[in-house]
Amino acid sequence: MKERNMFRESKWKKLTRQRWFYPTLYVTLVAVVLAGVLTFQFVGNDEAERDDEFNWSVEQNDLENQEAQGGDEAAEPVVAESEDLVMPVLLGDDAEVMTPFYDTEASAEEQEDALIFYNNQYYQSQGVDITSQNNESFDVIAALSGTVVSVEEDELLGQTIEIEHDEERSTFYASLSEVSVEEGADVSQGDVIGHSGSNVYSDEDVTKVHFRLLENGEPVNPQFK
């Protein structure tokens, strides 16, 4: 056994004395170290890519869920709640409709009441004339929220205001003695926009407002609720 160990030691010493031994050993160790480093980087990069894919998948799912629920929770609604048309006056029970809207589907008596006689001719009323029962002057208000698109002085209708509410609807106010809004102003439903007055179509001693509701530019029956 002793002789065998001595033989192994002698063989190892001879091996280490060879010129190629240490360079070969060095190259081998370097190769082992490089292999370990490359293996570690490959495993790390693979895990990072899997993490990125997982995070992207989570973010994508969150985005899809938000879109399915109507977008960001903090987003403001694009379209405001619709308003019901109100009378353009604050007279309550003292409000009186002098001249109604001329409705082609109304009775003959109602249509007759909706005719305006001026300059020896009869005209169909395109809106309603509202006055107060005691014939006292009163404030005129916006029947709907919107934007003032015109403020003008008309020879026949007196001072007028037109307010646009959406792409289809607008309201028109005439027979005003005073106007308290300017073109381009935004108004809310119920805001005072002027004061009652008169026009040449009716008794100048009667204070009133002539009101029209238009859809796509055509006058329609306001039918106040």
Side-chain angles (χ1 to χ4, degrees):
M1 177 65 68
K2 186 176 181 180
E3 290 179 356
R4 183 178 298 178
N5 290 338
M6 291 178 62
F7 174 77
R8 288 179 178 176
E9 291 176 358
S10 176
K11 188 175 182 180
W12 173 253
K13 287 181 179 181
K14 288 181 179 180
L15 183 63
T16 56
R17 290 174 183 172
Q18 300 296 323
R19 294 180 179 179
W20 51 264
F21 176 79
Y22 286 105
T24 303
L25 179 61
Y26 175 78
V27 171
T28 303
L29 291 175
V30 170
V32 171
V33 172
L34 287 176
V37 171
L38 292 175
T39 300
F40 176 80
Q41 289 182 344
F42 176 79
V43 173
N45 289 339
D46 186 59
E47 291 178 352
E49 289 177 359
R50 286 198 298 269
D51 289 341
D52 290 341
E53 291 176 358
F54 173 78
N55 292 333
W56 180 88
S57 178
V58 171
E59 292 174 357
Q60 186 69 12
N61 288 336
D62 289 342
L63 180 60
E64 292 175 355
N65 289 335
Q66 287 180 1
E67 291 176 350
Q69 295 173 2
D72 193 343
E73 293 180 356
E76 295 293 335
V78 176
V79 180
E81 294 182 0
S82 60
E83 297 174 328
D84 290 331
L85 184 75
V86 299
M87 259 192 166
V89 298
L90 297 174
L91 296 174
D93 293 337
D94 289 333
E96 180 180 351
V97 176
M98 294 175 53
T99 309
F101 176 82
Y102 186 91
D103 192 340
T104 57
E105 298 180 358
S107 66
E109 183 179 354
E110 291 172 331
Q111 289 180 351
E112 184 178 350
D113 291 337
L115 293 176
I116 300 171
F117 184 74
Y118 173 73
N119 200 21
N120 294 322
Q121 292 186 11
Y122 285 97
Y123 299 88
Q124 297 174 354
S125 175
Q126 297 182 333
V128 294
D129 289 342
I130 305 171
T131 187
S132 60
Q133 291 183 1
N134 56 16
N135 198 33
E136 292 183 356
S137 59
F138 52 88
D139 288 332
V140 176
I141 64 171
L144 293 167
S145 301
T147 302
V148 179
V149 293
S150 72
V151 176
E152 298 179 354
E153 177 78 32
D154 188 276
E155 293 182 358
L156 300 178
L157 294 175
Q159 295 191 69
T160 66
I161 300 172
E162 184 174 0
I163 301 177
E164 188 176 85
H165 309 288
D166 49 46
E167 294 180 355
E168 298 179 354
R169 291 192 303 173
S170 62
T171 50
F172 180 77
Y173 311 76
S175 307
L176 304 175
S177 61
E178 297 178 10
V179 171
S180 54
V181 292
E182 297 180 351
E183 185 174 326
D186 291 329
V187 295
S188 298
Q189 186 180 58
D191 286 351
V192 175
I193 59 174
H195 208 69
S196 63
S198 62
N199 61 43
V200 300
Y201 290 108
S202 61
D203 189 346
E204 293 184 0
D205 293 332
V206 177
T207 183
K208 66 177 184 177
V209 58
H210 177 71
F211 175 78
R212 298 178 188 175
L213 172 65
L214 301 101
E215 294 183 356
N216 296 315
E218 296 295 326
V220 297
N221 194 340
Q223 295 180 337
F224 299 112
K225 296 181 180 180

